[in-house]
Amino acid sequence: MKENKVNVKNLSFFYGSNQALKDINVVIPENQVTAFIGPSGCGKSTFLRTLNRMNDLIDNTRVEGMVMIDDVNIYDKNVDVVNLRKKVGMIFQKSNPFAKSIYDNIAYGPKINGMRDKNELDEIVEISLKQAAIWEEVKDRLNMSALSLSGGQQQRICIARTLAVNPEIILMDEPASALDPISTAKIEELIHELKKVYTIIIVTHNMQQAARTSDFTAFFYLGELVEMDRTKTIFTNPGNKHTEDYISGRFG
């Protein structure tokens, strides 16, 4: 069993008076892929965003409980949120490359963090694009706009951009839901490779994708974490009737 990377204790989350998450307790292991599944509106994306404090950007929200990453509560007042989001990168459902060249998309984060050396930037861009399995497709057109690429390529550019600032955890919110089957397969292969270096947490509506890509699966329902176990166990022998009904397609 790997070391635990994230330890969530008694986490509740509120949009105004509406409680979206109810007393979540979960441990997420290092260098594994953990998938969050559940019907729309069950709280899985909200929970994902509590792990890098993206919900801070929404007015009139509040958090109770603790999110420990490497034994530091990320909701402590002295936590630097900018540094947190470097450590905990995020890939969104819709690919969102900047309207800049492919090179400048990847170099953006390192530059913001003060790197100016052209050779170092070149190296980071190449390594990040290789890690995101897109270097061979774009190496001869790094000065082209990232927006000129296909949807699947754009999503891999966004993954490379996230990798360029050297995160430890990568959050993925439905990273392939807007993509065709071939691009989806490439993203899934990439996830499998990336977990050798990173801890990956993915929200997906696609249960086959969760089964294919993840080591652990957590099932959310009505703002509660119903159960989490090894993916094979969740899909073949879930411990909860709600989980079994969702996986077998009786609701969702």
Side-chain angles (χ1 to χ4, degrees):
M1 182 70 182
K2 301 273 186 180
E3 292 291 311
N4 295 328
K5 188 71 177 172
V6 182
N7 190 355
V8 178
K9 300 178 180 178
N10 306 116
L11 183 84
S12 293
F13 184 82
F14 300 82
Y15 293 104
S17 59
N18 172 36
Q19 185 169 1
L21 297 172
K22 300 167 187 169
D23 200 32
I24 308 276
N25 288 277
V26 66
V27 171
I28 294 171
E30 190 168 28
N31 295 119
Q32 301 279 282
V33 180
T34 301
F36 297 163
I37 63 170
S40 293
C42 66
K44 54 192 187 292
S45 287
T46 296
F47 180 59
L48 191 75
R49 291 194 302 266
T50 65
L51 303 179
N52 70 345
R53 292 184 49 174
M54 285 295 278
N55 292 324
D56 290 16
L57 305 172
I58 303 169
D59 289 339
N60 199 24
T61 58
R62 107 187 126 83
V63 177
E64 295 174 358
M66 298 166 74
V67 175
M68 310 294 293
I69 295 180
D70 295 331
D71 298 323
V72 173
N73 180 14
I74 66 169
Y75 285 93
D76 276 350
K77 293 204 168 27
N78 57 357
V79 165
D80 182 327
V81 178
V82 173
N83 283 336
L84 170 67
R85 291 188 191 136
K86 270 196 298 194
K87 182 171 180 167
V88 187
M90 188 154 191
I91 310 296
F92 296 92
Q93 180 171 358
K94 186 170 183 333
S95 58
N96 57 347
F98 304 138
K100 297 172 178 285
S101 70
I102 294 166
Y103 183 98
D104 285 340
N105 263 271
I106 314 306
Y108 181 84
K111 282 181 178 175
I112 289 272
N113 295 324
M115 185 173 289
R116 292 286 174 268
D117 185 293
K118 176 80 166 64
N119 290 335
E120 281 188 61
L121 286 170
D122 288 352
E123 187 177 0
I124 287 172
V125 168
E126 181 172 341
I127 289 170
S128 302
L129 289 167
K130 281 179 174 171
Q131 277 192 298
I134 193 170
W135 170 251
E136 290 299 325
E137 293 163 57
V138 301
K139 65 183 181 186
D140 298 323
R141 42 183 179 151
L142 295 178
N143 294 323
M144 279 176 53
S145 169
L147 300 177
S148 67
L149 299 170
S150 72
Q153 289 174 320
Q154 287 187 23
Q155 191 64 300
R156 280 181 286 146
I157 290 294
C158 292
I159 292 170
R161 186 177 67 195
T162 298
L163 300 179
V165 296
N166 207 15
E168 295 175 21
I169 299 170
I170 302 173
L171 310 178
M172 297 185 165
D173 194 357
E174 301 269 0
S177 66
L179 303 179
D180 63 86
I182 291 170
S183 298
T184 296
K186 285 186 176 173
I187 297 288
E188 290 180 5
E189 284 169 29
L190 181 53
I191 289 169
H192 189 70
E193 282 300 306
L194 291 175
K195 78 171 183 183
K196 295 171 185 171
V197 183
Y198 308 95
T199 300
I200 297 176
I201 306 168
I202 179 171
V203 165
T204 179
H205 274 106
N206 182 331
M207 280 187 283
Q208 290 78 20
Q209 186 171 74
R212 285 191 300 261
T213 61
S214 69
D215 303 287
F216 291 86
T217 296
F219 173 63
F220 285 79
Y221 184 59
L222 299 178
E224 296 183 10
L225 175 54
V226 175
E227 66 176 309
M228 173 172 160
D229 208 328
R230 289 198 172 275
T231 295
K232 187 174 180 188
T233 304
I234 289 285
F235 279 92
T236 58
N237 189 24
N240 185 281
K241 180 82 167 68
H242 280 312
T243 313
E244 186 181 341
D245 287 350
Y246 180 70
I247 285 169
S248 62
R250 292 194 187 96
F251 77 96

